[in-house]
Amino acid sequence: MSLSDSETASENEPDHRPSKRRKVESHNDSEPSYEERQRPISPPILRRVNDAGKPQATLPPVSSFAKPAVIPSPVQLTHIRDLPTHLNIDAVKLSDILGDPLIKECWQFNFLIDLDFLMSGFDNDIRSQVKVNVVHGHRDQESRQALYEAAVTYPNIKLITAYMPDTYGTHHTKMMVLFRHDDTAQIVIHTANMIIRDWRNMSQAVWCSPMLPRLPSSDTDDKSTSSDAPIGSGARFKQDFLAYIDYYEKPRTGPLTSQLRLYDFSSIKGALIASTPRKQRNRANPTANTTRYGWPGLQDIMRKIPTVPTTGERPVIVAQVSSIATLSSSWVDHLFNILNTSGQPFAKGATPRVIFPSADEIRRSLDGYSAGGSIHTKIQSKAQQKQVEHLRPRLCYWAGDEDGLKDDPETKNIQEAGRRRAAPHIKTYVRFKNSDMNEIDWAMVTSANLSTQAWGTLPNKDGEIRVSSYELGVIVWPALFDQVEVAPEGSTTARDVTSDGARRRTIMVPTFKADTPDVEKITIQANKIVGFRMPYDLPLVRYRDDEQPWCATADYAEPDWRGHTWKDYGLVIPGRSGTETLLEHVMGAE
């Protein structure tokens, strides 16, 4: 199978010039150091400003109120092999997730799967004993055959083909369920394919549930999954998660559903957002306990997130993705309207932003052009160029660190995430409370990019919405971590007082290079502060008027920092004939 038909094919996923670029040699046995890789390949000065058009505010240390309790980010970034230690604080490797010798069974759901790489993550002593179920979506015979041949080496692997009713859909979910010998289970939802390259030098995110204990034998499933459980509660998460797993049909995932029913999900704080291939109607007033998928499901969650609007401030919604399909402007506007849905209406509409890397940022990434095989949009046709122009006011760079930026007095307060050179395969959607982007209303990590296959089409004349792919994500917001687990049903704002009238407020803030918020740099008064680990720097940098997003189907003759070029959807390496195929560089061949 040509992988150009795989993951994102279905998604269709006065400035002065800087000094002369350093020449890249065709062959060099010693690769440049991390510091040397910071030199940009292309030009003008970019200015980081907040969305009010002013330099980002400096935040003085806290002095006027007691230090709040802090909660680390519920989402973590993956470890980047070629970055220094100080940029990998709190980052996780695959072995951190799978290396527990107590794991007895693992369910893996993914799009691209390298079985040898997957099995390398388990502890050596139990690798051959763990029961591993791999759920994939390969429909063509060649890909399925390759997977089955690889599985011959591992008698403890069972391959399961997902139910794939939609020709244009993919099994794009990235998720694991782990069962342990100590009678606990864990759910892991992430953004990485199960291949070497995705876990090596690509920016990715991981959400891990707490260890879920087994329910007492006297507890029934009906008791643990109340039909009126509010969105954001562990009980509602369980209901939605089991509904998602059930969609694969009983012969495939029935054993997983049966096991999960026996576990207590009450410690989970978050809402599950899923997509499954289906047609559904967007009912104006859906039943409160109904699990919906794609953007209708997203809308249901947004309506239940308690928010405290800031007077006169305009929220900023940032969609950071690794693929942008060919979309109508009405669809893009519709999705951002859904993302700005709230139980408490905002006085002003939100400012929309889309983070997507430029060709220059891919050239300068740790893996160079090779990383671009996992990042997709199209810019060649008139319709695609029209889409780029519609998105241009919203488009922002992934790194935004062109020459001269660090010396620009307007950008001296940059908060660095430490992932500029790690090309983004991660997908995050965040609504910041204001233009300073120093407080978060909610944050989402998901496998879903900007596409109708992932989120669903606009309703047709019969009111039907078509979702084509499997996707999975988690949405978190500050009130979930308050003394009260979630706001009660019907509540439209986060509660600021306890039952005895004492002041209480929990906020969520972006964190940089670590998972735990630095309270010394936060001036917003709160009793509790929850972090959200940022994969990109703030403030954002908008695209120049002449900038184009990276396009994997275009040709790039300018060498990357490794001396490679990009042609015919493949890597051109000096001294080799032909091009490295998409399969080779996506799976991690060197």
Side-chain angles (χ1 to χ4, degrees):
M1 172 180 98
S2 169
L3 285 182
S4 60
D5 293 329
S6 53
E7 177 172 23
T8 50
S10 69
E11 295 186 355
N12 279 359
E13 274 218 309
D15 289 333
H16 66 267
R17 307 298 292 183
S19 57
K20 188 174 180 180
R21 304 184 185 96
R22 178 169 58 86
K23 183 176 180 181
V24 180
E25 299 294 335
S26 298
H27 297 280
N28 192 339
D29 293 332
S30 62
E31 293 187 345
S33 66
Y34 168 76
E35 287 72 22
E36 291 177 304
R37 294 174 191 163
Q38 309 314 298
R39 291 176 57 89
I41 292 180
S42 63
I45 294 179
L46 301 172
R47 298 175 181 270
R48 287 183 186 269
V49 296
N50 63 25
D51 281 281
K54 57 185 178 183
Q56 188 182 39
T58 302
L59 300 177
V62 172
S63 59
S64 59
F65 53 90
K67 290 184 178 180
V70 295
I71 299 176
S73 173
V75 169
Q76 296 174 282
L77 300 182
T78 56
H79 182 274
I80 304 298
R81 185 194 67 180
D82 293 346
L83 289 181
T85 302
H86 74 277
L87 296 182
N88 276 313
I89 295 172
D90 296 328
V92 296
K93 299 178 181 179
L94 181 62
S95 57
D96 296 326
I97 301 171
L98 297 180
D100 186 347
L102 287 178
I103 294 175
K104 65 178 181 180
E105 183 174 356
C106 170
W107 284 76
Q108 286 284 337
F109 294 71
N110 218 306
F111 173 72
L112 290 176
I113 303 168
D114 179 340
L115 294 180
D116 292 333
F117 174 68
L118 166 61
M119 298 304 289
S120 73
F122 292 104
D123 182 270
N124 288 334
D125 293 337
I126 56 98
R127 185 173 295 144
S128 62
Q129 303 168 34
V130 178
K131 183 179 179 181
V132 181
N133 303 281
V134 176
V135 182
H136 64 92
H138 294 312
R139 280 180 289 226
D140 67 288
Q141 185 61 34
E142 182 181 351
S143 296
R144 293 174 67 174
Q145 184 63 31
L147 200 60
Y148 276 85
E149 288 176 0
V152 171
T153 311
Y154 306 100
N156 52 324
I157 287 181
K158 180 181 179 180
L159 298 177
I160 301 168
T161 304
Y163 170 55
M164 302 293 296
D166 194 307
T167 305
Y168 299 99
T170 60
H171 185 253
H172 201 240
T173 288
K174 290 135 176 64
M175 181 265 287
M176 319 176 199
V177 181
L178 307 174
F179 294 99
R180 291 173 168 79
H181 286 287
D182 61 357
D183 279 342
T184 61
Q186 186 177 36
I187 296 168
V188 180
I189 296 173
H190 58 100
T191 64
N193 288 295
M194 196 50 63
I195 58 176
I196 297 172
R197 185 170 300 282
D198 274 33
W199 290 84
R200 182 175 60 193
N201 281 329
M202 303 284 287
S203 288
Q204 308 279 6
V206 178
W207 174 88
C208 296
S209 78
M211 295 299 175
L212 309 177
R214 195 177 177 93
L215 288 164
S217 56
S218 59
D219 277 6
T220 64
D221 185 55
D222 288 339
K223 182 177 177 180
S224 66
T225 53
S226 172
S227 61
D228 60 353
I231 288 174
S233 68
R236 178 57 186 259
F237 190 102
K238 182 175 185 177
Q239 171 191 315
D240 293 341
F241 192 76
L242 293 180
Y244 172 80
I245 296 298
D246 279 345
Y247 185 80
Y248 287 85
E249 297 185 345
K250 190 172 183 178
R252 297 177 175 90
T253 56
L256 176 58
T257 302
S258 298
Q259 287 192 79
L260 286 173
R261 291 188 187 281
L262 304 177
Y263 288 83
D264 181 359
F265 281 53
S266 62
S267 60
I268 291 180
K269 300 179 187 298
L272 188 78
I273 176 65
S275 293
T276 57
R278 64 176 59 225
K279 291 180 181 179
Q280 60 186 341
R281 293 183 182 276
N282 185 36
R283 303 183 186 280
N285 297 297
T287 305
N289 64 343
T290 300
T291 300
R292 299 205 297 171
Y293 299 88
W295 65 256
L298 180 63
Q299 187 176 51
D300 291 344
I301 296 171
M302 293 291 106
R303 286 171 173 165
K304 295 300 181 182
I305 296 178
T307 56
V308 181
T310 303
T311 304
E313 284 283 0
R314 190 172 176 146
V316 180
I317 297 176
V318 180
Q320 174 275 306
V321 294
S322 63
S323 177
I324 303 174
T326 303
L327 304 164
S328 68
S329 58
S330 58
W331 188 92
V332 174
D333 294 342
H334 173 76
L335 184 66
F336 273 99
N337 286 336
I338 295 294
L339 293 170
N340 196 40
T341 301
S342 175
Q344 177 72 24
F346 292 104
K348 297 182 178 180
T351 300
R353 294 286 178 258
V354 176
I355 296 178
F356 195 85
S358 66
D360 183 67
E361 290 175 318
I362 296 299
R363 274 192 289 271
R364 291 188 288 128
S365 69
L366 292 168
D367 285 344
Y369 282 131
S370 185
S374 301
I375 300 170
H376 296 264
T377 193
K378 293 186 176 181
I379 60 175
Q380 292 99 324
S381 72
K382 288 184 178 180
Q384 291 157 1
Q385 269 298 313
K386 183 178 179 181
Q387 173 175 303
V388 170
E389 293 311 309
H390 177 72
L391 288 174
R392 185 171 298 283
R394 311 175 187 190
L395 283 171
C396 296
Y397 292 96
W398 165 252
D401 60 346
E402 306 289 351
D403 268 353
L405 179 60
K406 291 180 180 179
D407 299 325
D408 189 334
E410 293 186 2
T411 60
K412 62 183 179 182
N413 296 315
I414 298 170
Q415 299 178 89
E416 295 185 26
R419 288 294 182 271
R420 292 176 178 176
R421 298 284 76 80
H425 189 262
I426 184 174
K427 306 106 171 74
T428 60
Y429 298 74
V430 180
R431 186 168 71 199
F432 294 91
K433 188 173 290 293
N434 52 48
S435 59
D436 284 335
M437 303 174 77
N438 58 2
E439 189 176 348
I440 292 172
D441 283 331
W442 54 259
M444 170 170 50
V445 167
T446 176
S447 61
N449 283 300
L450 288 179
S451 75
T452 58
Q453 287 85 356
W455 290 109
T457 61
L458 295 177
N460 62 18
K461 60 182 177 61
D462 296 321
E464 285 186 337
I465 299 160
R466 177 180 177 182
V467 181
S468 300
S469 296
Y470 289 90
E471 308 281 359
L472 205 61
V474 176
I475 304 176
V476 293
W477 58 90
L480 296 176
F481 301 86
D482 214 332
Q483 293 172 359
V484 177
E485 184 179 5
V486 291
E489 285 293 294
S491 173
T492 57
T493 59
R495 291 193 280 180
D496 289 324
V497 294
T498 59
S499 57
D500 60 2
R503 176 177 173 78
R504 184 202 72 223
R505 186 181 177 215
T506 300
I507 64 171
M508 182 175 284
V509 299
T511 65
F512 300 85
K513 298 182 182 177
D515 289 349
T516 304
D518 183 352
V519 296
E520 298 296 332
K521 297 181 179 179
I522 298 169
T523 58
I524 306 167
Q525 189 167 356
N527 285 5
K528 189 179 293 184
I529 299 177
V530 184
F532 183 80
R533 181 70 176 267
M534 297 303 296
Y536 48 83
D537 298 355
L538 292 179
L540 302 178
V541 178
R542 305 264 295 278
Y543 265 36
R544 297 188 307 263
D545 289 342
D546 61 345
E547 190 65 83
Q548 291 288 332
W550 161 260
C551 175
T553 54
D555 294 342
Y556 295 95
E558 182 175 353
D560 63 17
W561 70 270
R562 306 174 75 180
H564 304 158
T565 56
W566 184 262
K567 185 178 181 180
D568 297 331
Y569 209 13
L571 201 63
V572 180
I573 303 174
R576 295 190 192 177
S577 59
T579 62
E580 183 180 291
T581 68
L582 182 62
L583 176 61
E584 290 171 335
H585 73 252
V586 165
M587 297 298 280
E590 288 295 329

